[in-house]
Amino acid sequence: MDLESSTSLGMTHDVEIRVNTYAWTALAVFCMLGPIAHGAEKMWVSWSHKPPTSTHLPFWSLVLLSCSYILLIPGLVCTLFTYDISALSGLIKLQHGSESMIEFIETLSSTGCWYGAALVALYAMVIPGIKLLLLILAEVLRIRSPRSVRAARMCILTVQTISKWASPDMFAYVLLMYLVRELDHPPKLEAVGHLNLGFTSFALFCIFSTVACLGIQAPELPASETALAVASEPTPLRRKLRSVVPFVATFLFVAFAATLAIGASLPCMALHLDLDMLFEPTGHVPLSFKPFVETLGLVDLMHSEVNLWTCLGTLAKWGASGNANFFIAFVMFALFAIGFTVADMLVLIVAAWQLRPSSRHSNEVEMQGRSADEHQGPCRALSFARVLKKLSMLDVAIVGIVVVTLCGYVYRKSGVILSMDWGLLVLFVAELCHYATYHLVMGLAPQRPAASAEKAANDEVSTEDELSSDTTGSDEV
């Protein structure tokens, strides 16, 4: 018995080392891919003296996107996580399991949870496929005719918007492994949980494909269509709203900060083991062990819950100890779920105050006979806010927790019970404040100024002149 147990532990340790090596290597390679590809592109431009056109896919983005999709296949078929829960130093196996994305979808569909299987397949398989098809379609459309430029632009903007929505399950799996590890109370109850190759591959695919998609520049609309969007004098209602929106946005930011701080400190997800369901015929433990197990007092130890602040600190500690997957998980929560969301709200506040018209500027605009939007020009903060909104993943994390918890009922028959807690609702309110602020500020943003439309028209005319001169020259030859 002791020899078998030690051999099993040795094999598990070897597998963990291989997974950790793969994760650190993949993370390092992907972090270097973008800068190396961008540097190679710069060297090619300086050597060939041909600057790249803004309508083409950047080389670094193409390399990063292609390599990200290579990781999608192992992300779907390899094991996402493994867990093992036992009593009395492993003498009694209470619960164990492992799951890949494909296996999870098959389990959901075979148990009648068709809506859960559809949602997981939508996020993990359909959205990545749609992203790839839209990118190919955009590259085909942008080189055909001016009329197809609008469709190409819509394809790229759609890809950039939906790109982050391939990753909601990853956030829930991280919390699930945290909950399993929190059950560890040796020697009475021991619980281990590991994120495996599938998590590494799929998480890196989600992160770097999203970043790569944001590097693709959507083509500008033709001058004929741009002229229709020339900025005009804002209505009195619009001017009044712009004078009020900074105060509304500030109030929403305060509400966002408060609900985020409270929601992240409250439990958002919980795990409970039903002791009765762990025994045969529904569980793995022989029924003859039940009287002995009940005397151990395990019922009070078979419950764990998680809040984001505690989870972040624990993930940072596990990542600092050398676990690459938990380091990736920490980056996903700290940077993408919370960091970029907070940064987007701060930039939106700056943009809201930049949109507020002042009386002095209004008088200057009236004297010069220009529209307020034309005078104000583009707001740099709005551009940053659009990018940060596509990188912020608090909404993705919330949806992922909801989906995995609802789908987790298929494990109830084996004694594993997942549930949502009040902290998730408070985090949802915080994200509602984020969405409201974003759409409020973007809805009052100035339209493209007339100067830009005129410049685009001049560029189009000059391009046509160049093409006509080239054609004339070729005819003469």
Side-chain angles (χ1 to χ4, degrees), residues 12 20 42 45 107 192 207 219 259 280 303 314 350 353 430 459 469:
T12 303
N20 205 39
K42 289 290 187 182
V45 169
T107 301
V192 293
I207 293 173
T259 50
E280 295 177 345
H303 179 81
T314 307
V350 173
W353 284 98
D459 292 342
S469 62

Side-chain angles (χ1 to χ4, degrees), residues 215-337:
I216 305 173
Q217 185 177 357
E220 295 290 340
L221 294 175
S224 57
E225 298 188 23
T226 307
L228 299 177
V230 171
S232 58
E233 181 67 26
T235 62
L237 177 61
R238 192 176 182 88
R239 288 198 298 269
K240 195 169 193 63
L241 288 175
R242 284 187 182 176
S243 62
V244 175
V245 70
F247 303 100
V248 178
T250 303
F251 171 78
L252 288 173
F253 176 78
V254 173
F256 164 80
T259 50
L260 178 63
I262 295 173
S265 62
L266 293 176
C268 61
M269 190 175 179
L271 171 66
H272 177 70
L273 297 182
D274 189 343
L275 187 60
D276 294 331
M277 300 296 291
L278 296 177
F279 295 98
E280 295 177 345
T282 56
H284 305 286
V285 185
L287 191 60
S288 59
F289 285 10
K290 186 173 183 180
F292 174 69
V293 172
E294 289 178 345
T295 61
L296 298 176
L298 298 180
V299 177
D300 297 334
L301 304 177
M302 291 184 170
H303 179 81
S304 62
E305 55 187 22
V306 57
N307 65 74
L308 288 190
W309 294 141
T310 305
C311 181
L312 282 176
T314 307
L315 290 176
K317 182 177 67 175
W318 291 342
S321 66
N323 193 303
N325 277 328
F326 284 117
F327 175 76
I328 295 173
F330 171 77
V331 171
M332 290 179 65
F333 270 101
L335 183 62
F336 287 89

Side-chain angles (χ1 to χ4, degrees), residues 7 51 65 91 105 127-128 203 221 270 283 288 290 338 355 396 409 455:
T7 304
L65 193 63
L91 292 177
I105 296 173
I127 288 181
L221 294 175
S288 59
K290 186 173 183 180
I338 296 179
L355 290 175
V396 178
Y409 92 94
K455 181 180 181 298

